[in-house]
Amino acid sequence: MTEGKFRLDERFTMAVNGFTNERLLQYARRVMQRLVNRSGIFLIQPEVKLSPADMPGTMVLSCRRQGKLALNMDESYTLAVTPAGIALQAEGDIGILRGLETFLQLLAADETGYYFPAVVIRDRPRFPWRGLLLDACRHFMPLEVISRTLDGMAMVKMNVFHWHLSENQGFRIESQTFPRLQQIGSDGLYYTQEQVRDVIRYAEMRGIRVVPEFDIPGHSTAWLVAYPELASGPGPYLIERKYGIMDPTFNPALEKTYTFFKSFFAEMSRLFADDFLHIGGDEVNGNEWDANPGIQAFKKKHRLEDNRALQNYFNTRINDILKKNGKKMIGWDEIYAPGLDRQAIIHSWRGREALEKSARDGYRSILSNGFYIDLLQSTAYHYLNDPLPADSQLNVVEQKNILGGEATMWSELVSTETVDSRIWPRTAAIAERLWSPGTVRDVDDMFGRLDNISAGLEEVGLAHVKNREMLLRRLAGSSDAHSLRLLVGVLEPVKEYDRHNSGKPYTFFSPLSRLVDAAIVDPAPAREFEKLLAIFLKNRDADTFKTIMCTFAAWEGNHERLLALVRSAPLVGEITPLSRDLAALGNIGKEAAAYIFNKGKAPDDWLEGAKQAVLAAAKPKIELELRPAKAVLQLLEAVVPVSRQGKEE
Ligand code: ACM
């Protein structure tokens, strides 16, 4: 921070000085429009100028060359704001894109209007690989989802879009060499090559690499529907509708498997520009291999001791093919084995062990374990998941092998309507973990900034907030959704794989339109309640008491309205037990807070009954958890029972 403020008014202009290209210009134009929309100012010179305008109120962008979109690309920039003007400088144009996002983040307001605080920021990323995986297979993700996701990524300075394109549930890209893949393996839900080129271009214009994943030899049912002769089992194969680890696996003992991949990867290597291609390699259960006498004989002949060795053999053959096509291999941590090509990158998902072990052995690696955003864990958990924690035992050279990480959006339980709310805003916290110094890890501070970023994400088209309203309206039918909105504000979806274990028979076709789909992780009303409760327990002041009593009363009063809604909206019926629990929390909370505020003592049997009721309310129901139950339990802990009278104080 330096002295003063740069005031934003209608004289503000933006000019490029020195090197320019289409990417820089278009990005700058979009940033100008976002600034105009945020501030409501009618600029006199709204066009981005191509010459340095030497007038007050100018922001000058200057760089020296076109950045190369590749691993270790230069994303550094310097942003200097003074009361007289703003200068954004970088070596390459990609640094300017990153700096423009920081510039927008700095926009502030006071009673006089909008301004940018005077600062000098010299910035560059901590890790070179900051990615987001989107699974376009378990549920297909249309182009508009991809483009708004890329816009969100650019906003939080992420630079790798990992596109998961093949799975048991679908093969999602056009192959001109093997058109049966998309014709038979996709239900018609796939990207044409022209669309893929558009996505790559769209990403490139935002400084984002596109790394495609073709998951082999397992996770491959959809390919084998089209080409059963390449499978390890007898088939026949059908596109998978359920979720989990499946048997269908490519046959690594057949030469024609490699002939097929030679042509396939030659085609895909031409289509995708990035140096890296992800081969998956995860969760090969070996059932088909064990049951196939030809494969057993092949293993014996090649002295392959077990299925792991057989998969390593397969990976080596695939790696040779990729190399011939100018690509480097990346794969899930199962690919990590003795003799693996030094150029290969290990993608750690089952734990951190492979990440660190491979880094020690001289391999580069990235982390996704702890960044599985599909598992609906807290933002704080992801935020504190550091690929290179302060107590890392790796030496300086080994540390350099850790390239960063990726958030993973697996799509078993998301649709185009809900995927944004599963990715955002939590992925912004992961983006910060991967960009900012490891010492930046204050969770409260992060949440303070996250709400701002979340609003900004809406500005670039993400539907993580507005679609929740749409889902609630659909649930409510023609009735008022107010009671649902209040309820969903304090609910969280169950975590990890609990939705799959909930008894609902989830498949590709299942509804993803219930209250659990509208619920999000870390909903603001629940977080605010926890903050308020902590203040009340500390200060026990009249103002906080009054506010918290209002919240409890609202919870209690909501149940009647919800019951009225259920009569006209049957889909809401399953929610009734949760609503009743919330009313109970409200009722108990009111009494408990009153005991505490009035310094009263509660009858022991009331206190015991209240605890049991809160514990019952804390149990997940219809795949949802009532988040405030824990906080209300804390409140009860602070209530003094009658039986303690005389023993304390
Ligand atoms: C994975 O989640 N199976 C990579």
Side-chain angles (χ1 to χ4, degrees), residues 461-609:
L462 286 154
H464 56 301
V465 181
K466 70 182 179 199
N467 275 6
R468 188 159 66 243
E469 278 299 306
M470 184 263 292
L471 289 166
L472 296 182
R473 278 195 298 275
R474 186 199 284 152
L475 278 167
S478 54
S479 307
D480 180 9
H482 180 81
S483 57
L484 282 180
R485 196 175 301 122
L486 186 141
L487 190 53
V488 84
V490 291
L491 290 172
E492 287 201 4
V494 290
K495 314 213 173 298
E496 302 191 37
Y497 295 98
D498 285 0
R499 278 193 74 177
H500 290 288
N501 303 329
S502 68
K504 290 284 183 207
Y506 279 113
T507 71
F508 181 80
F509 301 107
S510 302
L512 293 169
S513 56
R514 293 157 60 234
L515 197 64
V516 60
D517 301 293
I520 60 166
V521 180
D522 294 326
R527 280 191 278 129
E528 277 152 28
F529 168 73
E530 284 159 17
K531 248 191 243 167
L532 197 67
L533 193 91
I535 294 170
F536 175 68
L537 285 176
K538 190 160 160 246
N539 301 343
R540 306 187 178 206
D541 60 298
D543 278 353
T544 316
F545 175 63
K546 233 194 249 168
T547 317
I548 212 161
M549 291 298 267
C550 279
T551 303
F552 288 137
W555 291 356
E556 211 179 2
N558 198 55
H559 189 50
E560 274 306 310
R561 266 182 293 170
L562 187 105
L563 288 178
L565 177 63
V566 170
R567 286 195 278 279
S568 63
L571 188 46
V572 179
E574 64 171 357
I575 298 157
T576 311
L578 279 164
S579 173
R580 190 181 302 125
D581 284 349
L582 183 64
L585 289 185
N587 178 278
I588 291 166
K590 243 165 54 179
E591 294 204 37
Y595 281 123
I596 292 168
F597 184 69
N598 299 320
K599 300 194 169 63
K601 322 271 174 186
D604 289 55
D605 55 345
W606 177 84
L607 203 49
E608 188 48 37

Side-chain angles (χ1 to χ4, degrees), residues 20-216:
T20 189
N21 61 8
E22 203 49 32
R23 175 162 60 198
L24 192 163
L25 268 180
Q26 286 190 17
Y27 209 101
R29 286 181 190 130
R30 287 195 300 273
V31 165
M32 280 291 264
Q33 196 58 51
R34 285 160 66 190
L35 185 63
V36 161
N37 285 341
R38 279 193 204 183
S39 63
I41 293 175
F42 290 74
L43 297 176
I44 297 164
Q45 290 276 18
E47 310 231 15
V48 176
K49 293 281 169 193
L50 278 178
S51 54
D54 243 349
M55 47 190 272
T58 300
M59 174 169 186
V60 179
L61 315 178
S62 44
C63 66
R64 288 138 67 110
R65 58 180 174 82
Q66 170 145 313
K68 184 171 156 44
L69 193 63
L71 179 61
N72 293 316
M73 61 179 121
D74 189 345
E75 298 171 277
S76 64
Y77 65 91
T78 301
L79 177 64
V81 178
T82 70
I86 300 176
L88 174 56
Q89 292 177 306
E91 176 62 27
D93 69 310
I94 297 170
I96 298 287
L97 313 192
R98 307 298 183 242
L100 282 168
E101 292 297 344
T102 300
F103 161 71
L104 275 181
Q105 280 181 27
L106 287 173
L107 181 65
D110 59 17
E111 61 283 352
T112 314
Y114 289 98
Y115 71 90
F116 293 91
V119 289
V120 178
I121 295 174
R122 285 185 199 87
D123 199 10
R124 66 187 160 88
R126 179 179 174 210
F127 293 108
W129 191 301
R130 306 178 311 281
L132 169 65
L133 173 151
L134 184 62
D135 173 3
C137 302
R138 267 77 168 216
H139 280 89
F140 184 63
M141 295 294 151
L143 290 178
E144 61 267 27
V145 173
I146 309 279
S147 49
R148 68 192 191 227
T149 300
L150 289 166
D151 279 312
M153 289 174 67
M155 207 186 118
V156 298
K157 304 185 177 78
M158 289 182 118
N159 65 1
V160 179
F161 176 60
H162 174 160
W163 204 355
H164 187 76
L165 286 165
S166 71
E167 253 309 330
N168 298 313
Q169 290 81 4
F171 186 91
R172 302 287 182 217
I173 181 171
E174 175 193 13
S175 167
Q176 289 164 0
T177 320
F178 302 105
R180 286 166 57 81
L181 285 170
Q182 74 271 11
Q183 284 163 1
I184 297 177
S186 79
D187 297 304
L189 299 171
Y190 66 93
Y191 309 100
T192 66
Q193 295 206 356
E194 196 182 340
Q195 290 173 327
V196 169
R197 275 188 284 271
D198 285 348
V199 167
I200 293 168
R201 170 85 179 150
Y202 196 92
E204 182 191 349
M205 294 298 273
R206 285 150 184 80
I208 297 171
R209 299 164 47 207
V210 177
V211 175
E213 179 186 350
F214 297 98
D215 198 349
I216 51 172

